[in-house]
Amino acid sequence: MAKKKPTILVVNDDGITAPGIKVLLEEMQKIGDVVVVAPDSPQSGMGHAITIGRPLRLDKIDLYAGVEMYKCSGTPVDCVKLAVNKIFKGKKPDLCVSGVNHGLNYSINVLYSGTMSAAVEGAIEDIPSIGFSLDDFSHQADFSHCRPYIRAIAEQVLENGLQKATLLNVNFPHHSKEIKGIKICRQATAKWFEEFDERVDPYEREYFWMTGKFQLLDKGEDTDVFALSNGYVSVVPTQFDMTAHHAITDLNSWTFNVANAK
Amino acid sequence: MAKKKPTILVVNDDGITAPGIKVLLEEMQKIGDVVVVAPDSPQSGMGHAITIGRPLRLDKIDLYAGVEMYKCSGTPVDCVKLAVNKIFKGKKPDLCVSGVNHGLNYSINVLYSGTMSAAVEGAIEDIPSIGFSLDDFSHQADFSHCRPYIRAIAEQVLENGLQKATLLNVNFPHHSKEIKGIKICRQATAKWFEEFDERVDPYEREYFWMTGKFQLLDKGEDTDVFALSNGYVSVVPTQFDMTAHHAITDLNSWTFNVANAK
């Protein structure tokens, strides 16, 4: 008996017309039945935002022949929620893949990234989920070297499943680098040092453009940043339990002077 | 010699005019020098979103006598970034407090909450940070029972500091409940079951309002949800390392068939 093809939800944060999502849906079509739900406009940096004060639109569109696609007026997380509820109607897909993002989502970027938040939402929905990102911000980024890895990683996740309440954060080196292989990593400690470009508008009012520099604060050789800078595809198992379990004992030794504060 | 008063950054996600932030700044004024930076409009559900495609505004306003306050056109996380860079100018505050949120941010809500994301951003900036939230969505919520706890918890954090790369997620029971004390907890496993209220606009186009029901998937008695439902203030130590460290060994045993996928 032929094995039933898996159903695969494809999402992103760069918007439905981004080249990165086309690469991802094409690779997924080789292994499953694909449904694409993506924002109707770029949603980079949206993190885990959801739309609660405004109504949402979800419209079927024909962008690529033979692909079931929907554009959504909301955030990447909204896309996953609408897909699960209004398209799959509770019969969950076998896999949720997000990306391929134009730009890296390693290290601390996992928090800011709409691509990764969509994958996190997939995992919250108990769907094996993977976020893919490439070290190239450009619209014309070359994703060709990512293709075999995307499929190999997706196939392994479909075959093995993922541990409960975890997902994968996958980042690819730039096309100009030769890929040495895949490394399982931890999220590197890092932060963005913001710089605000200060300007004055035509009405004499001040405004800012946020820019920033990524600063690595981690010398570990087991991090995603280290792996990528050495030519590997980084794979970080990611979880959404944000409890700092190791800090509980310490906090239990504290005495809160609530009476004194009254 | 008199001890120098700590400097305290106060932020929120309900917007600068929300009653919850007034409660928080009033309590912080009793123990430190306060600077308030908050969104100029409600930003609930914004998660860790940042503003990268649009310019930002930051304007000083006189809302309450004697309080240094700024309203910001961006997200809660933008507020923290602008405060650190443009107001404190690198001389970081001793404490960052966010809230008090009108509505609970326990369990999985830590991911969606702008209140908590602002506190997370404070922690990324290496500032001891706390998010406070109340079990009452109403604009007229009664926060009086929270006041002594807010101050007692902030004082302990100023005195003891927090472990590297951790912050606190504090949630208060509704005013109608008698508070039994403070419990250090872990984040409960739960999810939102969305319901999309389907409507048709005057132009015959379909749209959705997202609503949902919180569903607890955790029987533990060490969770924030359990503590709150039993009349305790819940305190969850929270971290932004999202690595699922326990899953690394398992993933290292996988074989990725990259050659076959080419």
Side-chain angles (χ1 to χ4, degrees), chain B residues 135-181:
Chain B
D135 183 9
D136 192 340
F137 276 103
S138 110
H139 188 77
Q140 289 80 29
D142 188 336
F143 290 92
S144 57
H145 62 305
C146 310
R147 288 180 180 264
Y149 288 91
I150 289 170
R151 214 155 87 236
I153 293 168
E155 281 172 340
Q156 277 297 297
V157 169
L158 282 166
E159 195 173 314
N160 302 323
L162 288 172
Q163 286 189 31
K164 186 99 186 143
T166 71
L167 60 146
L168 300 184
N169 181 10
V170 178
N171 283 271
F172 297 105
H174 190 273
H175 183 255
S176 61
K177 285 192 183 170
E178 198 195 337
I179 294 185
K180 291 189 192 145

Side-chain angles (χ1 to χ4, degrees), chain B residues 59-81:
Chain B
D59 296 303
K60 201 163 182 177
I61 58 165
D62 286 316
L63 196 59
Y64 307 118
V67 189
E68 186 177 342
M69 295 184 84
Y70 302 82
K71 65 184 169 74
C72 169
S73 64
T75 67
V77 170
D78 291 333
C79 290
V80 175
K81 287 181 182 290

Side-chain angles (χ1 to χ4, degrees), chain A residues 56 81 112 121 194 208, chain B residues 56 81 112 121 194 208:
Chain A
L56 287 165
K81 287 181 183 289
Y112 304 101
E121 189 64 28
E194 273 75 29
F208 303 94
Chain B
L56 287 165
K81 287 181 182 290
Y112 304 102
E121 189 64 27
E194 273 75 30
F208 303 94

